[in-house]
Amino acid sequence: MSTWFSKQLGDGVLAFAPKEQIQAMFPPLFAAAARPVEMAVFTRHELDGRLQCEVVAYFSPAAEALARQLDAQTCEKPSPTELDLLAGKPDCWAVLFPERSSP
């Protein structure tokens, strides 16, 4: 299980509601999966040549059930640079991004 997922949530203002939705949906799925440290959702503000930044959510492979419920698309593992943890345990950083020295 190594497939990551991503979903565009909109610009900084519009992303507020989808981020809240993810945070509300995550806990029951996390509990049902026995709270694995490798289950997490991250966000990053990305420009990619646009005038306004787009907030993108990245779902770890262990968060696949949530990603699929939200119609997220498969993607490459994101770089940990400028990622923010949206849902999951803080110690997920060491498991999911061992190359990163500190959160």
Side-chain angles (χ1 to χ4, degrees):
M1 184 164 63
S2 62
T3 303
W4 283 75
F5 296 84
S6 68
K7 181 166 181 72
Q8 294 185 347
L9 304 180
D11 70 26
V13 174
L14 295 176
F16 184 75
K19 285 168 67 175
E20 281 192 331
Q21 178 186 20
I22 291 168
Q23 289 175 314
M25 293 173 71
F26 186 86
L29 294 171
F30 189 58
R35 293 175 169 73
V37 70
E38 64 274 7
M39 185 175 176
V41 182
F42 301 89
T43 58
R44 178 175 21 226
H45 291 76
E46 300 182 358
L47 278 174
D48 289 334
R50 292 183 298 268
L51 183 59
Q52 294 184 338
C53 68
E54 176 88 11
V55 178
V56 179
Y58 292 96
F59 301 81
S60 70
E64 179 176 357
L66 176 58
R68 292 204 183 275
Q69 286 183 26
L70 295 168
D71 295 322
Q73 303 299 311
T74 59
C75 68
E76 296 293 319
K77 178 180 176 179
S79 163
T81 305
E82 297 183 8
L83 282 182
D84 294 311
L85 180 62
L86 180 65
K89 294 180 179 180
D91 51 348
C92 70
W93 289 102
V95 174
L96 295 169
F97 301 103
E99 70 278 10
R100 187 178 168 186
S101 58
S102 63

